[in-house]
Amino acid sequence: MAECVRLDSSTSSHTMDKSITLPPDEIFRNLENAKRFAIDIGGSLTKLAYYSTVQHKVAKVRSFDHATKVNRELRLYEISVQEEVTARLHFIKFENAYIETCLDFIKDHLVNTDTKVIKATGGGAHKFKELIERKLGLKVDKEDEMTCLIKGCNFVLRNIPHEAFVYAKHADSEFRFQTTQPDIFPYLLVNIGSGVSIVKVESEDKFERIGGSSIGGGTFWGLGALLTKTKRFDELLQLASKGQHTSVDMLVKDIYGGSYGSLGLTGDLIASSFGKSATADKEFSKEDMAKSLLHMISNDIGQLACLYAKLHNLSRVYFGGFFIRGHPVTMHTITYSINFFTKGEVQALFLRHEGYLGAIGAFLKGAEEDNPNQYSWGENYAGSSGLMSVSPDMNPMQRARSGTFDMLEMDRLERQLVNLPLLQDPSSYIPDTMDLTEDALAREYWLYCFEEALDGVVKRAVASQPDMPEAAQRAEKFRQKYRHKLQTLRQQPFAYGSLTVRSLLDTREHCLNEFNFPDPYSKIKQKENDMALKYYQKAVKSLEELSWEQRQFALVRVELMAFISCEHPERPWLVDSYDQWFERLKGPPHKCALFFVDNSGVDIILGVMPFVRELLSRGTEVVLASNSGPALNDVTNGELQILTERIAAMDPVIQAGLREDRLMLVQSGSSSPCLDLSRLDKVLAMVVRERQTDLVIIEGMGRAIHTNYYAMLSCESLKMAVIKNSWLADRLGGKLFSVVFKYEVPAGKPSQHSAALSPL
Amino acid sequence: ISVRCSAFPWFGMDIGGTLVKLVYFEPKDITAEEEQEEVENLKSIRRYLTSNTAYGKTGIRDVHLELQDLTLCGRTGNLHFIRFPTHDLPAFLQMGRNKHFSSLHTTLCATGGGAYKFESDFRTMADLQLHKLDELDCLIRGVLYIDSVVSGGPSECYYFENPTDPDRCIQKPYTLENPYPLLLVNIGSGVSILAVYSESNYKRVTGTSLGGGTFLGLCCLLTGCSTFEEALEMASQGESTRVDKLVRDIYGGDYERFGLPGWAVASSFGNMMSKEKRESVSKEDLARATLVTITNNIGSITRMCALNENIERVVFVGNFLRVNTLSMKLLAYAMDYWSKGQLKALFLQHEGYFGAVGALLELLHPS
């Protein structure tokens, strides 16, 4: 991975872009290819869903016919930019007031569709049925609300990492995102609309409404309106956030004078909601009554949710519905209640895309013949607005945001993604080393870095398409979009789940793709690959001349050297378990090594390949995993296929490996400079299992430092990288170009040389 | 046993968030000798309590609950049940001071939160030392005692037959033999739910702050009423379906997919989200909706606790149920309907006085 970080730069822009109301053509994107509409009309918000096919450019590599001698000396492969069609799901959320305008817009832009029906759900669906049918000429087909909700919930839990979060009002970061669970079932969904429904979900198709309560959002709204003469739900919440419930509620201390010690009930606990208004003959403020009401309802729902969770032995409880929908006040009171009633045994979980569940579900119902659930989907950071807080207390910019349009886009991934079977504990695996949502200093630094690096990325993007005159214009649009994303993240680090270096990099890739820069590094990679290939044989030969001991060290050195041009740091390195690795190599060969590769050029050809060669010679099978799509200068699977063939032609060891199927190239399923071991190509997982892989090698900053530095595997692992960023080096207690060589053996699975292994 | 008994007067007191409950044992077997020895103060207290049914502006003796010819600690007499609002406790203490209660050198057994909160007031204002007792211990002791001694007259424990059929729903006596395990739901200002396995083995399962205090508090704010009786009277004349949003208001009928009947409340006060409907409801409707909301909520929490604790019998007590047949029938209905007949709701005549009775028993038979 090439980090483009300049440390010596002068100014950076901290100004906010306030132009947040988007023109409709940027909201209803790809309408011309749209098909399969679904709509979820709630009490105040409408959510529209549709499916489109997106045509975008992809960089493909193709091997030259090596019989044609002319090309052979010049280029190993050619790069062509091709059009590829992928599937995308669009979800747009807007206030009901816009519904007619939106329907008109859709009607005008819907060119080519054979769609006849629109799936509809939500309480308002019948109210707008006639309008929709008239405007769009589509037949409205109603779907059960709860079924849609559950379907949508399953979909986001399965496909969006960091979908669920715990809310902690007073923590450094209010939102603590949960890692994706390998199995999302069973769970409890507590949907707080005007009433409350409590649904137990056991599998994709099996769910049951196990209970509910009539005391819900409608009670807060209705009773609140009566008590305070305040009409709007939002205003009631705002009143509540300013009130003191203790002047209205009878607390334990109002009865006991203090706590009720023998039962462990503290004095501040509410003994009787509104108890004081029954005895005290005085006026109560609107704020205080609203607050008391909010507590009463939240506590009651929390208590019932806990009772149901206990009865059905469920520990994952998600809360949704308009009462919750992004309101920090209600998330806080519900969280408080759950913590109180379960003493921390159950956590209240909320969902980033909670507002979209119904629309997603309705859409999926209508798209069953396309089998959307057999694919994996990924959130497109470029096209999605992210989580916006609508807290009345938050800054006005966010208030304005909630009043406009919100979008979610999901791309259908070509490959189905699953966990790496070698993760020690998939449910606790966190790919990212640093959570920038929680670490404010680190966040500042990395946001600054990415902003500083933006000029360079734009230049490279333009340079990658020299024969396209409008590239500069597109690159400028990319710059604006990505800069806007960075500014949003500065304000709301939690917008797309946990903010990490990986998410910043991925967002950049998504934005580049958005403006048709599928592979800005393609030309550079091509040049570097051609160059490095010329030295392959020489490099292998000089390694062959070394003694076995010397060679083992040289291989590691060369592998690490490939990353830097300066002098190699002396041992001991920053993290240095080379001696343990070396001892291990004296033992029996590994059965099969899974090698996650990184950069093109010198790294893959002169660093990785000799290492692979040595492993093959030892009798270890090797699975080389490379990116499915381009990201920075990382070698892609397509490129690696050609490179390996070429090397095989020069090197009998590699050739034999390929021929005997002891060397295998697979794609990772990823297009990121980082690595999420919980979202890998299903084929890769299958190969890993079949070959009884007992060694995982991860190299490079993106995959071994920014991610997976702390990943625990159930087999031996080797993480290698040079830290090319002085801030990060400093964080890890070293200096620029420090070396990390981390060899780990899982506890309980000692190798033959376990005595020599000490934990890092 | 009588040797160990405390000297007269015998009181038990339960000082709750809203009401003070007082039980007083009036000995009827006083010998001439005793009569002579009885100090004037004691006589005057006895006379004052037994010859009146109302005390001051707010104190009331529930004559219909009086237990006559009761034998306690070898003595025979009548047990009186008296209540007054907790905010009138200072007046009560003043009276105690005026009547020189402290000169009797009696121990005053008291339970409820107020025993702790007002302990120093008892000492400074009336020169009285409180013997403080845990309210749940007292409650259980009181329930078991009263149930065991009441015979003749209306049965202490009763239930509603045919709770789901308003026309055939009638109150029936119930014999609480083999009472364990038992879910005891005490609805005062707030609610406590106890699982009782024996007189000494019980646990507080949970509680809710939505109780009698919430009903009255919300009614006061919504209707301008000021007493529990007023609030109940209004509720009896109102219609909650104008205030609440029912399942049929949303789905046009039953929500069959989930087995929800059309008449079930989908959202309490849900209709009040609309301005027009807010303007069309009466105070009586609001009082009724408040009563139904609070009662049903207690019902559903209770039902969940019964399931979690695997207990089929539920006894509801507490002053929220006083003269509140509406709530009792609602609870009986809710328990029966949602459990498909599995759960039985039971009620006790002396609904709010068990804590005070338990405190009195502690005076006579210290545990």
Side-chain angles (χ1 to χ4, degrees):
Chain A
M1 181 183 86
E3 269 297 345
C4 322
V5 170
R6 286 212 319 265
L7 300 165
D8 57 345
S9 154
S10 47
T11 53
S12 78
S13 156
H14 282 271
T15 52
M16 283 299 303
D17 184 355
K18 294 210 171 57
S19 59
I20 39 185
T21 313
L22 302 167
D25 60 332
E26 283 188 25
I27 295 165
F28 299 102
R29 307 198 316 158
N30 296 323
L31 261 185
E32 53 280 8
N33 300 312
K35 59 171 189 170
R36 298 200 193 292
F37 283 85
I39 196 162
D40 173 11
I41 309 176
S44 54
L45 293 173
T46 296
K47 282 77 67 174
L48 184 81
Y50 59 93
Y51 169 96
S52 81
T53 45
V54 189
Q55 219 169 31
H56 61 99
K57 294 193 163 44
V58 287
K60 291 274 180 194
V61 290
R62 196 165 61 95
S63 192
F64 280 115
D65 183 356
H66 290 283
T68 328
K69 210 171 176 206
V70 197
N71 280 324
R72 191 169 173 183
E73 295 308 310
L74 299 167
R75 289 271 185 269
L76 174 62
Y77 56 81
E78 64 175 336
I79 305 163
S80 62
V81 173
Q82 296 173 11
E83 293 284 333
E84 200 178 69
V85 175
T86 54
R88 183 173 288 177
L89 295 181
H90 302 256
F91 303 98
I92 302 108
K93 185 163 73 182
F94 49 87
E95 289 184 12
N96 286 356
Y98 295 98
I99 198 164
E100 198 156 350
T101 323
C102 289
L103 291 175
D104 281 335
F105 184 87
I106 294 165
K107 178 75 200 158
D108 293 347
H109 291 77
L110 202 57
V111 213
N112 163 33
T113 182
D114 43 347
T115 309
K116 296 279 181 287
V117 292
I118 178 166
K119 290 282 178 188
T121 188
H126 67 274
K127 196 170 144 193
F128 292 97
K129 180 173 187 278
E130 198 265 335
L131 183 75
I132 298 167
E133 293 193 332
R134 181 161 46 83
K135 291 272 180 193
L136 296 185
L138 299 176
K139 191 181 165 305
V140 171
D141 192 2
K142 278 208 73 176
E143 286 292 337
D144 175 69
E145 217 174 324
M146 196 62 72
T147 311
C148 292
L149 204 63
I150 303 296
K151 266 196 172 304
C153 194
N154 292 340
F155 185 80
V156 295
L157 285 176
R158 192 176 294 124
N159 289 290
I160 306 186
H162 292 173
E163 175 60 31
F165 61 89
V166 167
Y167 184 78
K169 189 183 174 188
H170 301 295
D172 287 341
S173 83
E174 290 167 272
F175 302 85
R176 198 160 303 138
F177 294 95
Q178 306 289 295
T179 49
T180 321
Q181 294 294 311
D183 188 6
I184 60 169
F185 304 111
Y187 66 86
L188 205 60
L189 179 68
V190 181
N191 191 53
I192 315 173
S194 43
V196 181
S197 281
I198 300 176
V199 186
K200 176 185 177 181
V201 187
E202 284 177 283
S203 70
E204 187 57 47
D205 300 305
K206 192 172 174 211
F207 66 90
E208 185 192 356
R209 184 188 189 276
I210 53 173
S213 168
S214 67
I215 299 185
T219 314
F220 178 70
W221 194 343
L223 197 45
L226 288 169
L227 291 171
T228 67
K229 314 275 180 262
T230 303
K231 288 173 207 143
R232 287 173 48 97
F233 180 73
D234 285 6
E235 290 169 26
L236 277 166
L237 278 183
Q238 200 161 0
L239 281 180
S241 67
K242 289 186 236 153
Q244 285 290 333
H245 75 101
T246 51
S247 62
V248 184
D249 290 341
M250 187 182 281
L251 310 183
V252 166
K253 69 178 172 207
D254 292 321
I255 301 175
Y256 272 82
S259 64
Y260 184 176
S262 63
L263 286 183
L265 304 178
T266 62
D268 289 327
L269 208 67
I270 304 170
S272 175
S273 295
F274 287 90
K276 278 185 189 151
S277 57
T279 50
D281 207 9
K282 64 164 196 174
E283 287 285 306
F284 295 92
S285 80
K286 290 179 178 186
E287 287 81 1
D288 293 352
M289 287 189 289
K291 180 62 168 269
S292 175
L293 186 61
L294 177 67
H295 274 299
M296 174 179 110
I297 289 165
S298 301
N299 285 338
D300 192 55
I301 295 169
Q303 178 172 28
L304 276 170
C306 291
L307 287 166
Y308 279 101
K310 188 179 171 199
L311 187 64
H312 294 264
N313 202 16
L314 298 168
S315 58
R316 266 174 280 169
V317 185
Y318 301 100
F319 288 86
F322 82 72
F323 185 70
I324 296 292
R325 204 142 303 161
H327 300 297
V329 197
T330 57
M331 288 195 284
H332 174 63
T333 50
I334 288 282
T335 301
Y336 181 88
S337 166
I338 294 285
N339 287 342
F340 173 79
F341 285 110
T342 68
K343 298 175 183 77
E345 277 172 39
V346 174
Q347 280 191 317
L349 297 167
F350 304 97
L351 300 169
R352 268 201 303 141
H353 299 100
E354 190 278 320
Y356 290 109
L357 302 186
I360 295 173
F363 173 82
L364 293 174
K365 279 295 274 186
E368 265 160 1
E369 64 195 68
D370 288 341
N371 245 333
N373 269 330
Q374 80 178 13
Y375 298 97
S376 286
W377 298 77
E379 181 178 8
N380 187 312
Y381 295 140
S384 303
S385 348
L387 179 73
M388 295 296 161
S389 176
V390 290
S391 162
D393 296 335
M394 290 231 180
N395 68 50
M397 177 234 155
Q398 289 163 334
R399 278 295 283 173
R401 188 68 189 77
S402 73
T404 56
F405 288 78
D406 231 63
M407 289 174 294
L408 164 65
E409 288 187 4
M410 303 278 294
D411 286 331
R412 192 174 80 194
L413 307 177
E414 281 172 48
R415 331 278 301 183
Q416 205 174 348
L417 304 183
V418 296
N419 269 310
L420 178 68
L422 297 170
L423 283 175
Q424 210 172 70
D425 176 17
S427 59
S428 67
Y429 167 73
I430 298 168
D432 306 285
T433 305
M434 224 184 283
D435 185 346
L436 307 182
T437 330
E438 293 186 7
D439 188 336
L441 271 176
R443 178 168 71 241
E444 267 307 302
Y445 172 76
W446 285 110
L447 284 171
Y448 170 79
C449 275
F450 276 87
E451 206 158 315
E452 286 303 302
L454 193 47
D455 277 342
V457 177
V458 168
K459 267 187 210 136
R460 189 163 296 111
V462 177
S464 73
Q465 299 179 348
D467 41 359
M468 296 191 186
E470 31 53 84
Q473 211 183 337
R474 271 187 288 123
E476 202 45 48
K477 281 187 181 167
F478 154 75
R479 182 208 301 275
Q480 278 171 21
K481 181 131 201 169
Y482 190 56
R483 174 166 292 155
H484 184 260
K485 291 278 170 197
L486 291 176
Q487 283 161 347
T488 305
L489 289 166
R490 206 182 282 279
Q491 297 295 312
Q492 289 142 343
F494 47 78
Y496 298 93
S498 287
L499 183 66
T500 59
V501 173
R502 176 167 64 105
S503 73
L504 285 167
L505 285 163
D506 289 353
T507 307
R508 191 163 75 189
E509 295 298 328
H510 292 179
C511 289
L512 281 166
N513 274 322
E514 185 68 36
F515 294 101
N516 273 321
F517 293 107
D519 192 358
Y521 280 83
S522 56
K523 296 249 160 40
I524 297 168
K525 287 189 286 184
Q526 185 187 38
K527 207 173 108 201
E528 287 179 351
N529 285 337
D530 286 338
M531 182 75 88
L533 268 178
K534 296 199 177 97
Y535 296 95
Y536 179 76
Q537 276 168 310
K538 200 178 148 204
V540 167
K541 188 159 176 285
S542 62
L543 285 165
E544 287 292 293
E545 282 163 3
L546 299 172
S547 69
W548 184 83
E549 283 85 356
Q550 286 172 323
R551 190 164 68 246
Q552 301 316 309
F553 185 67
L555 281 167
V556 169
R557 250 182 76 99
V558 167
E559 161 63 46
L560 290 164
M561 274 283 272
F563 291 109
I564 45 170
S565 45
C566 68
E567 201 172 309
H568 206 279
E570 288 303 309
R571 288 187 64 200
W573 297 317
L574 181 58
V575 176
D576 190 340
S577 36
Y578 176 74
D579 294 345
Q580 287 91 323
W581 170 245
F582 181 68
E583 283 304 310
R584 172 62 187 88
L585 287 177
K586 291 180 188 164
H590 296 91
K591 168 80 179 65
C592 173
L594 169 65
F595 202 139
F596 288 99
V597 300
D598 189 26
N599 294 352
S600 288
V602 177
D603 174 26
I604 182 76
I605 295 165
L606 303 179
V608 174
M609 281 304 181
F611 205 104
V612 168
R613 191 177 190 278
E614 184 72 17
L615 286 168
L616 288 170
S617 311
R618 276 171 62 80
T620 302
E621 293 174 22
V622 180
V623 177
L624 281 180
S626 54
N627 269 2
S628 302
L632 295 177
N633 65 339
D634 293 0
V635 65
T636 62
N637 186 58
E639 290 158 354
L640 190 57
Q641 297 278 0
I642 297 168
L643 288 178
T644 312
E645 270 172 42
R646 183 75 187 92
I647 290 169
M650 300 188 277
D651 184 342
V653 178
I654 300 290
Q655 189 166 48
L658 285 175
R659 194 180 56 235
E660 292 157 18
D661 199 30
R662 291 190 300 112
L663 171 60
M664 213 185 156
L665 309 184
V666 294
Q667 39 184 311
S668 65
S670 160
S671 304
S672 166
C674 294
L675 178 64
D676 179 354
L677 296 177
S678 68
R679 277 169 77 81
L680 291 176
D681 195 313
K682 202 174 180 178
V683 174
L684 183 149
M686 206 180 68
V687 169
V688 160
R689 217 178 273 121
E690 276 173 1
R691 306 219 163 191
Q692 295 164 355
T693 304
D694 53 357
L695 173 66
V696 174
I697 304 172
I698 308 176
E699 59 145 0
M701 277 246 291
R703 292 176 181 76
I705 304 287
H706 289 315
T707 52
N708 299 309
Y709 189 68
Y710 300 115
M712 306 279 279
L713 296 162
S714 59
C715 66
E716 291 170 55
S717 65
L718 194 51
K719 296 165 191 169
M720 293 185 275
V722 174
I723 303 171
K724 295 168 297 175
N725 170 296
S726 58
W727 183 90
L728 187 63
D730 191 51
R731 258 289 167 108
L732 296 171
K735 45 187 202 287
L736 192 62
F737 302 127
S738 287
V739 168
V740 168
F741 186 91
K742 201 175 183 186
Y743 168 62
E744 289 165 303
V745 179
K749 271 196 188 174
S751 75
Q752 295 80 353
H753 300 266
S754 59
L757 296 172
S758 62
L760 287 168
Chain B
I1 302 166
S2 61
V3 181
R4 284 179 46 225
C5 277
S6 212
F8 290 124
W10 291 353
F11 281 112
M13 201 172 193
D14 176 4
I15 310 168
T18 313
L19 286 175
V20 178
K21 283 78 65 176
L22 188 70
V23 294
Y24 168 65
F25 182 81
E26 174 205 359
K28 293 299 251 184
D29 54 355
I30 295 177
T31 58
E33 196 182 339
E34 271 180 321
E35 178 99 40
Q36 245 171 5
E37 279 178 18
E38 195 176 27
V39 292
E40 203 47 45
N41 283 338
L42 188 56
K43 238 176 240 161
S44 105
I45 287 167
R46 177 152 55 93
R47 245 180 268 122
Y48 175 69
L49 288 177
T50 54
S51 59
N52 294 302
T53 56
Y55 316 94
K57 279 188 189 132
T58 52
I60 283 167
R61 180 153 64 88
D62 284 311
V63 183
H64 67 287
L65 293 179
E66 181 179 330
L67 293 176
Q68 296 182 340
D69 298 326
L70 198 66
T71 307
L72 247 182
C73 229
R75 304 300 300 257
T76 305
N78 300 340
L79 197 57
H80 298 278
F81 297 86
I82 297 160
R83 61 186 151 90
F84 60 86
T86 305
H87 60 77
D88 286 334
L89 191 69
F92 174 80
L93 293 178
Q94 191 57 46
M95 185 192 77
R97 188 193 180 97
N98 296 344
K99 293 190 184 293
H100 302 288
F101 206 95
S102 62
S103 67
L104 299 169
H105 303 294
T106 184
T107 316
L108 191 50
C109 281
T111 186
Y116 297 80
K117 188 182 178 186
F118 301 109
E119 187 185 12
S120 65
D121 294 339
F122 272 84
R123 205 171 45 239
T124 55
M125 289 175 69
D127 194 24
L128 281 170
Q129 202 67 41
L130 285 188
H131 180 39
K132 304 190 296 294
L133 299 162
D134 180 79
E135 65 173 294
L136 301 181
D137 289 339
C138 289
L139 175 70
I140 289 166
R141 214 165 162 192
V143 166
L144 297 171
Y145 174 77
I146 294 289
D147 185 64
S148 70
V149 295
V150 172
S151 58
S155 162
E156 177 64 19
C157 186
Y158 59 96
Y159 71 103
F160 290 90
E161 201 177 58
N162 310 314
T164 52
D165 181 353
D167 298 329
R168 294 167 53 229
C169 176
I170 40 165
Q171 190 173 325
K172 282 275 174 103
Y174 186 86
T175 320
L176 201 59
E177 276 172 317
N178 274 329
Y180 312 113
L182 184 77
L183 205 63
L184 185 59
V185 182
N186 185 31
I187 318 173
S189 313
V191 182
S192 275
I193 301 178
L194 317 177
V196 187
Y197 301 99
S198 76
E199 180 164 355
S200 56
N201 179 15
Y202 73 89
K203 64 174 180 186
R204 183 178 188 273
V205 180
T206 189
T208 165
S209 70
L210 285 83
T214 314
F215 163 64
L216 184 53
L218 282 175
C219 274
C220 291
L221 293 172
L222 293 171
T223 70
C225 73
S226 55
T227 68
F228 183 65
E229 289 76 5
E230 252 183 281
L232 274 186
E233 177 56 28
M234 284 177 125
S236 70
Q237 290 163 22
E239 192 61 70
S240 62
T241 52
R242 284 200 274 264
V243 179
D244 294 339
K245 189 168 269 189
L246 307 186
V247 168
R248 65 163 179 258
D249 295 333
I250 301 174
Y251 296 98
D254 299 348
Y255 190 4
E256 279 161 23
R257 174 85 175 73
F258 294 119
L260 287 175
W263 53 259
V265 183
S267 174
S268 297
F269 287 85
N271 280 341
M272 298 296 93
M273 290 187 275
S274 124
K275 188 168 176 281
E276 298 74 49
K277 289 188 174 156
R278 276 201 297 277
E279 283 159 2
S280 73
V281 293
S282 69
K283 288 180 172 184
E284 287 76 12
D285 295 337
L286 292 173
R288 178 63 164 252
T290 309
L291 188 77
V292 170
T293 301
I294 300 297
T295 307
N296 277 338
N297 188 61
I298 294 169
S300 71
I301 291 173
T302 301
R303 195 174 61 83
M304 287 309 295
C305 290
L307 284 173
N308 273 324
E309 301 301 321
N310 203 15
I311 296 176
E312 289 182 357
R313 258 180 316 187
V314 185
V315 177
F316 292 94
V317 296
N319 268 320
F320 173 66
L321 299 175
R322 195 172 60 78
V323 294
N324 187 359
T325 315
L326 268 176
S327 286
M328 287 192 277
K329 286 193 173 172
L330 264 173
L331 286 170
Y333 186 120
M335 289 299 112
D336 188 85
Y337 182 87
W338 296 110
S339 74
K340 300 186 175 70
Q342 281 293 296
L343 289 173
K344 198 169 198 72
L346 304 171
F347 305 92
L348 300 174
Q349 298 286 358
H350 290 83
E351 56 246 329
Y353 285 106
F354 299 108
V357 171
L360 172 69
L361 294 172
E362 184 63 29
L363 173 74
L364 305 175
H365 307 285
S367 55

